[in-house]
Amino acid sequence: MFLKVMRNLFLFHVFILSVLILPIEIRSQDWEFAREKDGIKVFTREESGNYKSYRGETKFRAEVSAILEIIEDMEKLTEWDEDIREMKVLSHKKGRSLTYYTVYDVPWPFSDRDLCVKDTIIADPSSGIVTVTGISAPNEVPLNKDYVRITEFHEKWIIEPIGNGFIRLILEGFAHPAGDIPAWAANMAVTDTPLNMIRAIKQRIGKDNKVE
């Protein structure tokens, strides 16, 4: 009798745990296809407050090291995004970490935004995959009264070699605009971010990007 009660209790706890974990697993798989252009597929996912995160992915011929070098070259980020009005690299340890500060030009009647990001670079020697993970570091730079500070931000680059000289490049991210920008307005341009950034990298590589 005791063993039966203990077994039922164990199964109950397993059930409760699975119920709690299941939404997290589903959450990680619920990307919705939004558009495709220039061989780049873009997906979105709704986050808190109805703001959307983004995911872009593509395949093309390139070396992992060449892609990483471009991503680390944050001083040229203004070439990727026309809305960036200021960019400062605060610290950089090649192949390991990067901290940078950005000011975004936001159309009237909203105030410009600023953001500070810390990137961590991890290379898996067995698979050859390189991951660049960025999180908001709002206290790295003093607040500026002229800007609204973005504090909710995360971004991840995944550079994966897939053979025959090709790589798979994935960019996932989310930025809550903070302040008075409504979700519907922010979401209008959310698919542009991964599309423009990945396309800029492909253009800088300057090779035949058609997957065979």
Side-chain angles (χ1 to χ4, degrees), residues 183-198:
W184 65 264
N187 292 339
M188 287 179 63
V190 71
T191 61
D192 292 340
T193 298
L195 180 63
N196 292 339
M197 295 183 77
I198 292 176

Side-chain angles (χ1 to χ4, degrees), residues 10-211:
F10 171 76
L11 292 174
F12 174 75
H13 279 91
V14 170
F15 170 76
I16 293 299
L17 184 61
S18 65
V19 170
L20 292 174
I21 293 176
L22 183 60
I24 298 175
E25 294 177 344
I26 293 175
R27 185 67 173 169
S28 66
Q29 300 173 7
D30 63 354
W31 290 104
E32 295 184 0
F33 177 76
R35 61 191 294 200
E36 181 174 0
K37 188 175 182 179
D38 299 331
I40 304 168
K41 294 181 179 179
V42 179
F43 305 81
T44 62
R45 183 170 66 190
E46 189 171 298
E47 304 289 346
S48 60
N50 296 323
Y51 292 91
K52 291 185 177 181
S53 56
Y54 54 82
R55 173 186 171 98
E57 59 180 68
T58 190
K59 301 174 185 178
F60 59 102
R61 186 182 296 277
E63 297 291 333
V64 171
S65 58
I67 301 298
L68 180 59
E69 184 176 349
I70 294 173
I71 293 174
E72 288 190 79
D73 190 8
M74 279 295 168
E75 291 182 347
K76 292 186 178 180
L77 189 61
T78 53
E79 298 177 4
W80 302 12
D81 192 337
E82 60 183 10
D83 294 327
I84 293 177
R85 56 176 292 188
E86 182 181 344
M87 161 60 66
K88 293 180 181 178
V89 174
L90 305 179
S91 66
H92 183 200
K93 296 180 180 179
K94 186 174 177 61
R96 295 174 57 190
S97 63
L98 177 69
T99 303
Y100 61 93
Y101 171 76
T102 309
V103 177
Y104 291 93
D105 184 17
V106 179
W108 184 91
F110 305 111
S111 300
D112 289 347
R113 264 58 179 170
D114 67 350
L115 168 69
C116 189
V117 178
K118 278 189 174 182
D119 281 348
T120 301
I121 303 167
I122 298 177
D124 184 341
S126 60
S127 65
I129 296 174
V130 173
T131 304
V132 183
T133 304
I135 59 173
S136 173
N139 297 324
E140 288 291 317
V141 176
L143 292 173
N144 186 319
K145 63 180 180 61
D146 294 328
Y147 308 136
V148 175
R149 177 65 49 89
I150 294 175
T151 59
E152 294 183 51
F153 172 88
H154 58 81
E155 189 171 74
K156 180 167 66 175
W157 290 94
I158 302 173
I159 316 168
E160 177 187 4
I162 56 176
N164 297 321
F166 285 87
I167 60 99
R168 176 183 291 109
L169 182 61
I170 299 173
L171 172 61
E172 295 182 0
F174 173 74
H176 192 295
D180 53 358
I181 299 180
W184 65 264
N187 292 339
M188 287 179 63
V190 71
T191 61
D192 292 340
T193 298
L195 180 63
N196 292 339
M197 295 183 77
I198 292 176
R199 183 165 51 194
I201 287 179
K202 294 176 70 174
Q203 290 173 347
R204 283 190 58 179
I205 290 296
K207 294 182 178 180
D208 181 9
N209 296 327
K210 183 177 180 181
V211 178

